[in-house]
C-alpha cells in the first residue's frame, strides 16, 4: 500500500503541488511564530540578565507603596567595602534623565530614559561601562552617553548636550560614549552618566545611593558573605545575589515575548484553518477524478480499508514533505520578523529552533492533510465499484432540504442570536458569549456558502453579461456547476476577510473615540506633560509659565489617598479662574462657578456610583486631616479620559490637605492661539527642558491613536498569510477545473472561442468566487465588529460604531486582486489547451 501511495503521489505531483504549498505555508507560519517567540524570549532573557555575573551581591532598600523604606549612604558603603571577602562595593544612583538631540527631540523610549552615576574604582574605571570614545564624567557639567543614543543624535565627545531631570534642565559637555549591558540599559532606552556627586544631587541627596553592588574576592563563598553583609546593613534593607537578581530580571523580561508569541500562534491557527479548505478541496477533486481507478482496485480484490489507507497515506506523504519545507522556511520567516520588529539599536539575536518546535510543526503539517482528506476519502468509499466503473460520480448539487444545509442554517441562526445576545447584555462574560456566537456563525455561514453561491451568482450575472455577454455567461455557469467546490474555495477568503473587516471596524471606532475625546475635552492650545516614566511635575513647574505674557494656564494637580463620603477618591486641583477656558466641562447639574466658592465638581460616573447629588455635603479625609466639602456641580465625563478629572477641586482645597501634589499635566492657552512661535515661547518659558513635552491637540490625538494603527498593521500583515493561502485555493480550484474541462474547453475553442476569450472566462470565474468570499466575509466582519464594540460602550462613554468604508473597500479590492492574480496560471493553461487532443479525449 505504501508503494502504491508513493507511486500515486509521484504520478499526481503537479496536482498535489498547491496542496503541499498550502500545508507548507501553514507550517511556515506555525514554525516562524514558535521560533520567533522562542528567539525573542531568549534574547530578552539574555539581555535582561546580562551583566549580573559581575555582581556577587546587590544591596537595596525594601520598597513600599510610598517608595524606598530606607537609605543607603557613604558610611554603609564604606562598611561593606571593608568586610572580609569583599573586593569592591560600588554605590549606584539611578533616576530619570531625558536627553534631547541637537533639534530638541527626545532620545530613547519614555519608559527607559535613565540617568546614573559613574563610579570609578581605584584604577579610574567603572566595570559596568566600556568606553568606546572619551572617558567617564568627573566634573559638575560633564556627562557620558550610551553609544546608541549618541549615534542617533550625532553627538561626539566635546559636544554640548541638553539633559532634563526631575529638578530641571541643564546643558552638559559630553566627555565619553560607552557600551553597557542589560542590567543598566534596556533596549530602545537611553542612559546618561553623571559624576557621582551630581547624580546624588539630581536624584537623591548628597552621599546617598539607590543600591550598592558588591564584588566578592575570587573563590569567596557568596552565601556566607551575604550573611556578613546583612549584619552591617541598616533596617529595612535587603541583600540578594547577582544570580538571583538575574533570574528575577529574566522572568520579568519573558512576559512580553510570551504575549506576542500567543498572538502570532492565534493567527497561525487561522492560516491553518484556511489551508484546510484548500487541502480538502484538492483531495475532493483528485478523488473524484480517480473514481474509476479506485473502483478498479476494489474490483480486483482491494478492500475499502486498504483503498482508504492508500489515499490517507498519500495525504501523510504530502504532509511530511510540506512540513520539512515549512520548518526550513519558518526559520527564515522568524529571521525576517526579527528584522522587522526588533528595536533598531538591539543587538542581533540568534534564532532558537528547539526540538519541541520541530515536533509540533511536523505533527501539525502531517495531521492537517489527513484531517482535510478524511471526508473526501470517506465519500469516495461510499460509491459502489460497479457504479464507479460505469461513470464518475456527478457532483451533488446543494439543495435547501439537505441535512448539511439544515444543520448549517441552524448553526448560523443560533450563532447570530448568541452574538446579538452578547452584544446587548453587559458583564465580563459578554465577549466570551460573542466569541462563541462568532464561531457558530462562521461555521454555519461556511456550510451554507454552496447554497448561497447560486443566488449570489444570479445576482451578479447580469453585470457580467452586460459587460461580456459570452464570457460572463460561461463564467457564471461554470461557477455554479459544483457549488460545494465553489463554496469551499470562497470560504477561505471569507474567513480572512471576516477577521480583517472586524479588526478594521474596531480599530476605526476606537481611533475616532480617542480622537474625539481629546479634541472635545481640550479647549487649551497646549498640554504640557512629562514623558511616561519621567519627571514628576509639581505646581512649581507650572509657575515657570509666569514668564509667558498674556497666557492662561492651569496645572492639573492630582492628590491621592482621600476618603470622600467613605469612597476612596483622587482630587485634582485646578486654577478656578482659568480652568473653564482650558478644559470643556459638560455640566449636567449645578455650576462650575461653584469651584471659586471652595466647592468641588464631580464626574457623572463617580457621582452615579456613589449616589451623590449636587448640594450634598460630604466628609473629606486625607491621612490625619479631615473636614467637609460640598458638591457644586456634576459634569459628564469619560471614565477613560486622560485629561478630564473624576473630581475637580480648587487648588486651595487640595493644598489644604496635600502640600506636595503631583502635577499630572499643565493646560496652556496663548494669546494668539497655537502657532510655531507660540510653541517656541512655551518651551522657552519652561526652560527648554527636554523632560517636558509641549503637545497640541493634533499631536495628542496622533499619540493616542498611533498604537491602534500600529497594532492593526501588524495584524493585517499576519492575516496576509491566510489571504495568500486563500488565493492559492482559488488557483488550485481553477487549475483542477481546467484539467477536468479540457474537452469542453477544446470544444469551445473549436467553435470559435479564441485564447483571449478562454482567459477572460477563467478570470471572471476567479472574480466570482472572490466576490462571493469577500462579500460574505465583509458582512460578517462588520457584524462581529459591531457586536464587540457594543461591549465597550458600557465602560467607554462616547464609543460609537464607525464603518471605515475606505479600509473595507481596500480589503475587498486586495482580496479580488488576489483572486485575479491566482487565476493567471490556470487561465494561461486553459488558453494553451490543444484543440485536436482535447476534443478527442474521452
Amino acid at each position: 500500500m505504501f508503494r502504491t501511495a508513493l507511486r500515486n503521489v509521484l504520478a499526481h505531483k503537479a496536482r498535489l503541488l498547491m496542496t503541499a504549498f498550502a500545508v507548507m505555508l501553514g507550517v511556515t507560519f506555525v514554525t516562524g511564530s514558535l521560533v520567533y517567540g522562542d528567539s525573542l524570549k531568549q534574547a530578552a532573557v539574555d539581555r535582561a540578565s546580562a551583566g549580573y555575573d559581575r555582581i556577587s551581591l546587590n544591596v537595596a532598600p525594601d520598597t513600599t507603596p510610598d517608595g524606598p523604606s530606607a537609605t543607603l549612604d557613604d558610611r554603609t558603603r564604606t562598611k561593606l567595602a571593608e568586610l572580609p571577602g569583599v573586593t569592591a562595593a560600588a554605590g549606584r544612583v539611578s533616576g530619570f534623565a531625558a536627553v534631547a538631540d541637537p533639534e530638541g527631540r527626545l532620545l530613547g523610549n519614555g519608559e527607559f530614559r535613565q540617568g546614573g552615576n559613574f563610579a570609578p574604582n581605584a584604577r579610574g574605571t567603572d566595570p559596568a561601562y566600556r568606553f568606546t570614545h572619551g572617558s567617564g564624567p568627573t566634573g559638575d557639567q560633564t556627562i557620558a552617553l550610551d553609544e546608541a543614543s549618541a549615534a542617533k543624535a550625532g553627538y561626539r565627545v566635546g559636544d554640548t548636550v541638553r539633559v532634563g531631570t526631575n529638578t530641571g534642565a541643564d546643558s552638559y559637555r559630553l566627555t565619553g560614549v560607552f557600551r553597557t549591558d542589560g542590567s543598566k540599559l534596556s533596549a530602545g532606552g537611553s542612559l546618561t552618566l553623571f559624576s557621582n556627586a551630581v547624580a546624588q544631587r539630581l536624584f537623591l541627596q548628597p552621599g546617598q545611593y539607590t543600591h550598592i553592588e558588591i564584588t566578592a574576592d575570587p573563590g569567596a563563598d557568596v552565601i556566607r558573605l551575604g550573611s556578613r553583609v546583612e549584619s552591617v546593613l541598616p533596617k529595612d534593607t535587603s541583600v540578594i545575589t547577582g544570580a538571583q537578581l538575574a533570574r528575577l530580571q529574566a522572568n520579568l523580561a519573558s512576559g512580553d515575548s510570551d504575549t506576542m508569541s500567543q498572538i502570532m500562534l492565534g493567527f497561525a491557527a487561522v492560516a491553518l484553518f484556511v489551508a484546510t479548505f484548500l487541502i480538502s478541496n484538492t483531495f475532493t477533486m483528485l478523488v473524484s477524478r480517480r473514481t474509476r481507478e479506485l473502483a478498479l482496485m476494489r474490483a480486483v480484490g482491494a478492500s475499502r480499508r486498504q483503498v482508504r489507507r492508500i489515499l490517507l497515506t498519500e495525504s501523510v506523504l504530502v504532509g511530511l514533505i510540506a512540513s520539512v519545507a515549512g520548518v526550513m522556511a519558518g526559520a527564515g520567516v522568524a529571521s525576517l520578523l526579527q528584522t522587522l520588529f526588533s528595536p533598531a539599536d538591539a543587538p542581533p539575536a540568534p534564532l532558537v529552533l528547539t526540538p519541541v518546535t520541530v515536533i509540533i510543526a511536523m505533527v501539525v503539517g502531517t495531521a492537517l492533510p489527513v484531517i482535510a482528506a478524511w471526508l473526501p476519502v470517506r465519500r469516495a468509499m461510499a460509491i459502489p465499484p460497479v457504479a464507479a466503473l460505469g461513470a464518475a460520480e456527478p457532483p451533488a448539487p446543494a439543495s435547501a432540504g439537505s441535512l448539511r444545509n439544515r444543520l448549517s442554517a441552524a448553526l448560523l441562526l443560533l450563532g447570530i442570536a448568541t452574538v446579538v445576545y452578547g452584544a446587548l447584555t453587559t458583564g465580563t462574560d459578554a465577549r466570551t458569549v460573542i466569541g462563541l456566537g462568532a464561531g457558530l456563525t462562521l461555521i454555519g455561514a461556511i456550510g451554507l456558502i454552496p447554497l448561497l453561491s447560486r443566488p449570489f451568482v444570479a445576482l451578479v450575472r447580469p453585470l457580467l453579461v452586460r459587460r461580456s455577454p459570452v464570457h460572463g455567461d460561461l463564467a457564471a455557469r461554470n461557477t455554479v456547476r459544483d457549488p460545494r467546490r465553489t463554496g469551499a474555495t470562497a470560504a477561505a477568503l471569507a474567513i480572512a476577510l471576516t477577521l480583517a473587516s472586524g479588526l478594521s471596524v474596531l480599530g476605526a471606532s476606537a481611533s475616532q473615540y480617542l480622537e474625539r475625546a481629546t479634541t472635545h475635552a481640550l479647549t487649551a492650545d497646549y498640554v504640557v506633560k512629562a514623558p511616561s516614566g519621567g519627571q514628576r511635575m509639581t505646581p512649581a513647574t507650572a509657575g515657570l509659565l509666569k514668564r509667558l505674557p498674556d497666557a492662561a494656564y492651569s496645572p492639573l494637580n492630582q492628590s491621592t489617598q482621600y476618603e470622600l463620603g467613605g469612597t476612596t477618591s483622587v482630587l485634582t486641583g485646578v486654577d478656578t479662574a482659568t480652568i473653564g477656558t482650558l478644559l470643556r466641562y459638560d455640566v449636567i447639574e449645578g455650576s462650575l462657578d461653584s469651584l471659586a466658592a471652595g466647592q468641588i465638581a464631580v464626574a457623572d460616573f463617580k457621582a452615579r456610583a456613589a449616589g451623590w447629588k449636587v448640594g450634598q455635603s460630604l466628609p473629606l479625609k486625607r491621612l490625619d486631616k479631615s473636614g467637609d466639602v460640598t458638591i457644586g456641580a456634576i459634569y459628564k465625563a469619560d471614565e477613560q479620559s486622560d485629561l478630564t478629572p473624576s473630581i475637580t477641586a480648587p487648588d486651595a482645597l487640595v493644598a489644604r490637605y496635600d502640600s506636595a501634589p503631583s502635577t499630572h499635566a499643565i493646560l496652556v492657552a496663548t494669546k494668539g492661539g497655537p502657532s510655531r512661535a507660540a510653541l517656541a515661547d512655551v518651551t522657552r518659558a519652561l526652560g527648554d527642558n527636554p523632560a517636558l513635552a509641549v503637545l497640541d491637540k493634533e499631536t495628542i490625538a496622533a499619540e493616542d491613536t498611533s498604537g491602534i494603527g500600529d497594532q492593526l498593521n501588524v495584524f493585517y500583515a499576519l492575516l496576509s498569510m491566510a489571504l495568500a493561502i486563500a488565493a492559492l485555493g482559488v488557483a488550485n480550484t481553477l487549475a483542477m477545473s481546467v484539467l477536468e474541462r479540457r474537452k469542453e474547453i477544446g470544444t469551445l475553442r473549436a467553435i470559435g472561442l479564441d485564447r483571449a476569450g478562454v482567459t477572460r472566462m477563467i478570470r471572471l470565474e476567479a472574480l466570482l468566487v472572490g466576490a462571493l468570499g469577500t462579500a460574505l466575509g465583509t458582512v460578517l466582519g462588520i457584524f462581529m465588529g459591531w457586536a464587540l464594540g457594543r461591549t465597550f460602550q458600557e465602560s467607554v462613554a462616547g464609543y460609537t460604531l464607525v464603518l471605515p468604508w475606505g479600509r473595507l473597500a481596500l480589503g475587498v479590492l486586495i482580496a479580488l486582486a488576489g483572486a485575479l492574480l491566482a487565476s493567471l496560471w490556470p487561465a494561461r493553461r486553459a488558453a494553451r489547451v490543444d484543440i485536436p487532443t482535447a476534443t478527442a479525449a474521452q
Side-chain angles (χ1 to χ4, degrees), residues 60-73:
D62 296 335
T63 57
T64 66
D66 297 325
S69 58
T71 57
L72 298 173
D73 53 21

mmCIF file with all atom_site columns, all heavy atoms in Angstrom, residues 60-73:
data_model
loop_
_atom_site.group_PDB
_atom_site.id
_atom_site.type_symbol
_atom_site.label_atom_id
_atom_site.label_alt_id
_atom_site.label_comp_id
_atom_site.label_asym_id
_atom_site.label_entity_id
_atom_site.label_seq_id
_atom_site.pdbx_PDB_ins_code
_atom_site.Cartn_x
_atom_site.Cartn_y
_atom_site.Cartn_z
_atom_site.occupancy
_atom_site.B_iso_or_equiv
_atom_site.pdbx_formal_charge
_atom_site.auth_seq_id
_atom_site.auth_comp_id
_atom_site.auth_asym_id
_atom_site.auth_atom_id
_atom_site.pdbx_PDB_model_num
ATOM 1  N N   . ALA A 1 60 ? 19.893 46.736 48.493 1.00 0.00 ? 60 ALA A N   1
ATOM 2  C CA  . ALA A 1 60 ? 18.915 47.768 48.151 1.00 0.00 ? 60 ALA A CA  1
ATOM 3  C C   . ALA A 1 60 ? 17.893 47.902 49.258 1.00 0.00 ? 60 ALA A C   1
ATOM 4  O O   . ALA A 1 60 ? 17.606 46.922 49.971 1.00 0.00 ? 60 ALA A O   1
ATOM 5  C CB  . ALA A 1 60 ? 18.207 47.418 46.837 1.00 0.00 ? 60 ALA A CB  1
ATOM 6  N N   . PRO A 1 61 ? 17.326 49.101 49.442 1.00 0.00 ? 61 PRO A N   1
ATOM 7  C CA  . PRO A 1 61 ? 16.268 49.281 50.449 1.00 0.00 ? 61 PRO A CA  1
ATOM 8  C C   . PRO A 1 61 ? 15.015 48.513 50.045 1.00 0.00 ? 61 PRO A C   1
ATOM 9  O O   . PRO A 1 61 ? 14.737 48.333 48.860 1.00 0.00 ? 61 PRO A O   1
ATOM 10 C CB  . PRO A 1 61 ? 16.013 50.793 50.448 1.00 0.00 ? 61 PRO A CB  1
ATOM 11 C CG  . PRO A 1 61 ? 17.185 51.393 49.744 1.00 0.00 ? 61 PRO A CG  1
ATOM 12 C CD  . PRO A 1 61 ? 17.687 50.365 48.786 1.00 0.00 ? 61 PRO A CD  1
ATOM 13 N N   . ASP A 1 62 ? 14.249 48.084 51.017 1.00 0.00 ? 62 ASP A N   1
ATOM 14 C CA  . ASP A 1 62 ? 12.955 47.461 50.740 1.00 0.00 ? 62 ASP A CA  1
ATOM 15 C C   . ASP A 1 62 ? 12.013 48.523 50.176 1.00 0.00 ? 62 ASP A C   1
ATOM 16 O O   . ASP A 1 62 ? 12.048 49.691 50.586 1.00 0.00 ? 62 ASP A O   1
ATOM 17 C CB  . ASP A 1 62 ? 12.359 46.873 52.013 1.00 0.00 ? 62 ASP A CB  1
ATOM 18 C CG  . ASP A 1 62 ? 13.213 45.748 52.570 1.00 0.00 ? 62 ASP A CG  1
ATOM 19 O OD1 . ASP A 1 62 ? 13.943 45.119 51.781 1.00 0.00 ? 62 ASP A OD1 1
ATOM 20 O OD2 . ASP A 1 62 ? 13.145 45.505 53.795 1.00 0.00 ? 62 ASP A OD2 1
ATOM 21 N N   . THR A 1 63 ? 11.178 48.098 49.212 1.00 0.00 ? 63 THR A N   1
ATOM 22 C CA  . THR A 1 63 ? 10.260 49.049 48.580 1.00 0.00 ? 63 THR A CA  1
ATOM 23 C C   . THR A 1 63 ? 8.887  48.965 49.230 1.00 0.00 ? 63 THR A C   1
ATOM 24 O O   . THR A 1 63 ? 8.432  47.894 49.636 1.00 0.00 ? 63 THR A O   1
ATOM 25 C CB  . THR A 1 63 ? 10.128 48.768 47.080 1.00 0.00 ? 63 THR A CB  1
ATOM 26 O OG1 . THR A 1 63 ? 9.695  47.417 46.889 1.00 0.00 ? 63 THR A OG1 1
ATOM 27 C CG2 . THR A 1 63 ? 11.451 48.978 46.382 1.00 0.00 ? 63 THR A CG2 1
ATOM 28 N N   . THR A 1 64 ? 8.230  50.124 49.337 1.00 0.00 ? 64 THR A N   1
ATOM 29 C CA  . THR A 1 64 ? 6.867  50.230 49.857 1.00 0.00 ? 64 THR A CA  1
ATOM 30 C C   . THR A 1 64 ? 6.056  51.054 48.870 1.00 0.00 ? 64 THR A C   1
ATOM 31 O O   . THR A 1 64 ? 6.620  51.651 47.944 1.00 0.00 ? 64 THR A O   1
ATOM 32 C CB  . THR A 1 64 ? 6.865  50.924 51.228 1.00 0.00 ? 64 THR A CB  1
ATOM 33 O OG1 . THR A 1 64 ? 7.289  52.293 51.057 1.00 0.00 ? 64 THR A OG1 1
ATOM 34 C CG2 . THR A 1 64 ? 7.811  50.228 52.203 1.00 0.00 ? 64 THR A CG2 1
ATOM 35 N N   . PRO A 1 65 ? 4.726  51.114 49.018 1.00 0.00 ? 65 PRO A N   1
ATOM 36 C CA  . PRO A 1 65 ? 3.928  51.953 48.118 1.00 0.00 ? 65 PRO A CA  1
ATOM 37 C C   . PRO A 1 65 ? 4.362  53.413 48.094 1.00 0.00 ? 65 PRO A C   1
ATOM 38 O O   . PRO A 1 65 ? 4.156  54.110 47.104 1.00 0.00 ? 65 PRO A O   1
ATOM 39 C CB  . PRO A 1 65 ? 2.506  51.806 48.682 1.00 0.00 ? 65 PRO A CB  1
ATOM 40 C CG  . PRO A 1 65 ? 2.510  50.473 49.344 1.00 0.00 ? 65 PRO A CG  1
ATOM 41 C CD  . PRO A 1 65 ? 3.883  50.308 49.920 1.00 0.00 ? 65 PRO A CD  1
ATOM 42 N N   . ASP A 1 66 ? 4.994  53.884 49.184 1.00 0.00 ? 66 ASP A N   1
ATOM 43 C CA  . ASP A 1 66 ? 5.440  55.274 49.244 1.00 0.00 ? 66 ASP A CA  1
ATOM 44 C C   . ASP A 1 66 ? 6.887  55.451 48.803 1.00 0.00 ? 66 ASP A C   1
ATOM 45 O O   . ASP A 1 66 ? 7.432  56.554 48.862 1.00 0.00 ? 66 ASP A O   1
ATOM 46 C CB  . ASP A 1 66 ? 5.288  55.816 50.677 1.00 0.00 ? 66 ASP A CB  1
ATOM 47 C CG  . ASP A 1 66 ? 3.830  55.834 51.114 1.00 0.00 ? 66 ASP A CG  1
ATOM 48 O OD1 . ASP A 1 66 ? 2.971  56.083 50.251 1.00 0.00 ? 66 ASP A OD1 1
ATOM 49 O OD2 . ASP A 1 66 ? 3.570  55.594 52.298 1.00 0.00 ? 66 ASP A OD2 1
ATOM 50 N N   . GLY A 1 67 ? 7.538  54.342 48.354 1.00 0.00 ? 67 GLY A N   1
ATOM 51 C CA  . GLY A 1 67 ? 8.917  54.442 47.900 1.00 0.00 ? 67 GLY A CA  1
ATOM 52 C C   . GLY A 1 67 ? 9.834  53.614 48.777 1.00 0.00 ? 67 GLY A C   1
ATOM 53 O O   . GLY A 1 67 ? 9.390  52.785 49.587 1.00 0.00 ? 67 GLY A O   1
ATOM 54 N N   . PRO A 1 68 ? 11.169 53.821 48.634 1.00 0.00 ? 68 PRO A N   1
ATOM 55 C CA  . PRO A 1 68 ? 12.135 53.069 49.444 1.00 0.00 ? 68 PRO A CA  1
ATOM 56 C C   . PRO A 1 68 ? 11.910 53.327 50.928 1.00 0.00 ? 68 PRO A C   1
ATOM 57 O O   . PRO A 1 68 ? 11.618 54.448 51.348 1.00 0.00 ? 68 PRO A O   1
ATOM 58 C CB  . PRO A 1 68 ? 13.490 53.607 48.971 1.00 0.00 ? 68 PRO A CB  1
ATOM 59 C CG  . PRO A 1 68 ? 13.219 54.205 47.625 1.00 0.00 ? 68 PRO A CG  1
ATOM 60 C CD  . PRO A 1 68 ? 11.831 54.725 47.679 1.00 0.00 ? 68 PRO A CD  1
ATOM 61 N N   . SER A 1 69 ? 12.071 52.270 51.728 1.00 0.00 ? 69 SER A N   1
ATOM 62 C CA  . SER A 1 69 ? 11.830 52.380 53.166 1.00 0.00 ? 69 SER A CA  1
ATOM 63 C C   . SER A 1 69 ? 13.079 52.772 53.939 1.00 0.00 ? 69 SER A C   1
ATOM 64 O O   . SER A 1 69 ? 13.003 53.016 55.146 1.00 0.00 ? 69 SER A O   1
ATOM 65 C CB  . SER A 1 69 ? 11.291 51.050 53.699 1.00 0.00 ? 69 SER A CB  1
ATOM 66 O OG  . SER A 1 69 ? 12.214 50.003 53.410 1.00 0.00 ? 69 SER A OG  1
ATOM 67 N N   . ALA A 1 70 ? 14.238 52.797 53.299 1.00 0.00 ? 70 ALA A N   1
ATOM 68 C CA  . ALA A 1 70 ? 15.493 53.140 53.974 1.00 0.00 ? 70 ALA A CA  1
ATOM 69 C C   . ALA A 1 70 ? 16.418 53.829 52.980 1.00 0.00 ? 70 ALA A C   1
ATOM 70 O O   . ALA A 1 70 ? 16.117 53.930 51.791 1.00 0.00 ? 70 ALA A O   1
ATOM 71 C CB  . ALA A 1 70 ? 16.148 51.877 54.545 1.00 0.00 ? 70 ALA A CB  1
ATOM 72 N N   . THR A 1 71 ? 17.539 54.327 53.467 1.00 0.00 ? 71 THR A N   1
ATOM 73 C CA  . THR A 1 71 ? 18.531 54.981 52.601 1.00 0.00 ? 71 THR A CA  1
ATOM 74 C C   . THR A 1 71 ? 19.878 54.307 52.784 1.00 0.00 ? 71 THR A C   1
ATOM 75 O O   . THR A 1 71 ? 20.200 53.774 53.864 1.00 0.00 ? 71 THR A O   1
ATOM 76 C CB  . THR A 1 71 ? 18.656 56.479 52.944 1.00 0.00 ? 71 THR A CB  1
ATOM 77 O OG1 . THR A 1 71 ? 19.010 56.626 54.330 1.00 0.00 ? 71 THR A OG1 1
ATOM 78 C CG2 . THR A 1 71 ? 17.356 57.207 52.671 1.00 0.00 ? 71 THR A CG2 1
ATOM 79 N N   . LEU A 1 72 ? 20.638 54.309 51.725 1.00 0.00 ? 72 LEU A N   1
ATOM 80 C CA  . LEU A 1 72 ? 21.999 53.792 51.755 1.00 0.00 ? 72 LEU A CA  1
ATOM 81 C C   . LEU A 1 72 ? 22.939 54.974 51.556 1.00 0.00 ? 72 LEU A C   1
ATOM 82 O O   . LEU A 1 72 ? 22.787 55.741 50.607 1.00 0.00 ? 72 LEU A O   1
ATOM 83 C CB  . LEU A 1 72 ? 22.212 52.757 50.645 1.00 0.00 ? 72 LEU A CB  1
ATOM 84 C CG  . LEU A 1 72 ? 21.346 51.490 50.730 1.00 0.00 ? 72 LEU A CG  1
ATOM 85 C CD1 . LEU A 1 72 ? 21.535 50.630 49.498 1.00 0.00 ? 72 LEU A CD1 1
ATOM 86 C CD2 . LEU A 1 72 ? 21.696 50.687 51.977 1.00 0.00 ? 72 LEU A CD2 1
ATOM 87 N N   . ASP A 1 73 ? 23.925 55.102 52.435 1.00 0.00 ? 73 ASP A N   1
ATOM 88 C CA  . ASP A 1 73 ? 24.814 56.267 52.365 1.00 0.00 ? 73 ASP A CA  1
ATOM 89 C C   . ASP A 1 73 ? 26.267 55.836 52.247 1.00 0.00 ? 73 ASP A C   1
ATOM 90 O O   . ASP A 1 73 ? 26.585 54.637 52.196 1.00 0.00 ? 73 ASP A O   1
ATOM 91 C CB  . ASP A 1 73 ? 24.601 57.173 53.575 1.00 0.00 ? 73 ASP A CB  1
ATOM 92 C CG  . ASP A 1 73 ? 24.719 56.423 54.901 1.00 0.00 ? 73 ASP A CG  1
ATOM 93 O OD1 . ASP A 1 73 ? 25.353 55.337 54.910 1.00 0.00 ? 73 ASP A OD1 1
ATOM 94 O OD2 . ASP A 1 73 ? 24.181 56.905 55.908 1.00 0.00 ? 73 ASP A OD2 1
#
